Amino acid sequence: MSAPKILVTGGAGFIGSHVCVALIAAGLRPVVMDTLVNSDPRSLQRVARITGVEPPLVRGDVRDAVALDRAFAEHGFDAVLHLAGLKAVGQSVSDPIGYYDVNVAGSLALVRAMERAGVRTLIFSSSATVYGSTQRSPIRESAPYAAVNPYGRTKVMVERLLADLARADGRWGIACLRFFNPIGAHESGLLGELPHGPPDNLLPYVSQVAAGERCHVVVHGDDYETPDGTGVRDYVHVMDVAEGHVAALRHATTHRGLLTVNLGTGRGASVLEVISAFERASGRTVAWRVGPRRPGDAPAYWADVQHARDRLGWHARRGLDQMCADSWRWQLGNPRGFDDPDPALPAGFVSAST
Ligand code: UFG
């Protein structure tokens, strides 16, 4: 019997490409559908360098019913991992139509196509942003929705759609994965995050300061009610997140209905703790200055991870030091991203393709 084929929407992106690595390592066959608006197809060549298998790429949009039907007919998927979507909070405020269209209408078009193809196993990339900023940490999955921006509300709407779908039709097996703050890179240094322009997120910014590409990190506020006054988040290694997808897929394949789980470590780290960890990992000094609070930022939140342990048997295995060390290896080996020739592999790392 051949290995199950899995459609990975958004599979060429930061998280999606790492998910492909984890799927292949688990003996599954990912096929990527991606518009490439915020990703690079060369990420899939790097997946091949790590695993020995290059996932086929269907360049297309999940809102395109014809493209979806064609892909389902051609490949005969067993399940779908839906990671495609827009994710910049600020942009979602200025372009709500674009965000609702890609994230909500895109998800609706996808489940319609799945229904037509009779494929009813789906893993959806959601976000801790659905909790908003009012919850006490650690946050359990049963906390109410309180998203505070259009991006977060698109995630809430898709979660609600999927819950209604699972309730209406018992043939569906669905998992919604609420990511906390995925960072890091594949330990090979071949795959990582590739922000277009100045990064919005903390880790790529810190990494570029350590590399000398930017002069200092602006710490967005040091007067929060946290131990050192700076914002606290639950940073989780992207390969742990990727392995969480494999665990969720196993669960959704064997259990019908809806499962919603947090993907985090259960621990918070402050901005200054992240900067210190990065300095240790890189051996470089990371200059920083305190700026004003960033509008819309929550002071502190982290995940309750018990549900993921109980239902998926999954927990994050990699700590903050490893997240920083892996990010730094990626940064050093690929200062211009995939425009750089393939970097040498770290000592001791065995690539499937060499
Ligand atoms: N921060 C800085 N300086 C920077 C960037 C960030 O001090 O240059 C701080 C922020 O204020 C916050 C922390 O670093 O305290 C993390 O900020 P990020 O921008 O890296 O991440 P967020 O927690 O704001 O949001 C991320 C994703 C969202 C997702 C959310 C879920 O960007 O899409 O995690 O937890 F919804």
Side-chain angles (χ1 to χ4, degrees), residues 100 127-135 144-157 160 296:
Y100 282 98
S127 166
T129 194
V130 300
Y131 297 122
S133 58
T134 55
Q135 316 291 341
Y145 288 128
V148 293
N149 53 57
Y151 163 67
R153 284 189 282 270
T154 66
K155 294 292 181 187
V156 171
M157 288 179 83
R160 285 196 191 277

Side-chain angles (χ1 to χ4, degrees), residues 169-331:
D169 183 343
R171 292 173 297 177
W172 281 82
I174 301 175
C176 291
L177 304 180
R178 293 179 178 162
F179 304 170
F180 278 65
N181 289 52
I183 61 166
H186 189 266
E187 58 171 349
S188 62
L190 292 173
L191 264 187
E193 193 169 5
L194 204 60
H196 292 249
D200 288 326
N201 296 117
L202 181 63
L203 243 289
Y205 211 101
V206 168
S207 178
Q208 292 184 6
V209 172
E213 289 177 18
R214 298 186 188 277
C215 58
H216 62 267
V217 178
V218 177
V219 175
H220 298 319
D222 69 347
D223 56 354
Y224 287 110
E225 280 186 30
T226 59
D228 63 19
T230 67
V232 169
R233 295 289 183 276
D234 186 339
Y235 297 94
V236 54
H237 196 293
V238 63
M239 278 311 297
D240 279 323
V241 170
E243 288 160 11
H245 282 72
V246 176
L249 181 58
R250 287 217 176 90
H251 184 278
T253 305
T254 50
H255 299 73
R256 301 291 87 185
L258 174 78
L259 175 71
T260 301
V261 289
N262 290 335
L263 292 187
T265 63
R267 286 170 185 219
S270 73
V271 174
L272 294 184
E273 283 172 327
V274 169
I275 291 174
S276 298
F278 210 93
E279 288 183 324
R280 282 196 301 279
S282 63
R284 304 269 179 101
T285 301
V286 175
W288 54 274
R289 286 187 199 156
V290 177
R293 291 183 179 193
R294 190 170 62 176
D297 264 357
Y301 59 88
W302 57 93
D304 186 310
V305 293
Q306 197 55 46
H307 198 51
R309 276 184 187 270
D310 293 346
R311 301 297 300 279
L312 298 183
W314 172 91
H315 67 277
R317 294 185 294 124
R318 300 159 177 94
L320 186 58
D321 287 336
Q322 185 173 348
M323 297 178 214
C324 293
D326 290 340
S327 289
W328 181 238
R329 191 176 302 112
W330 159 252
Q331 172 74 44

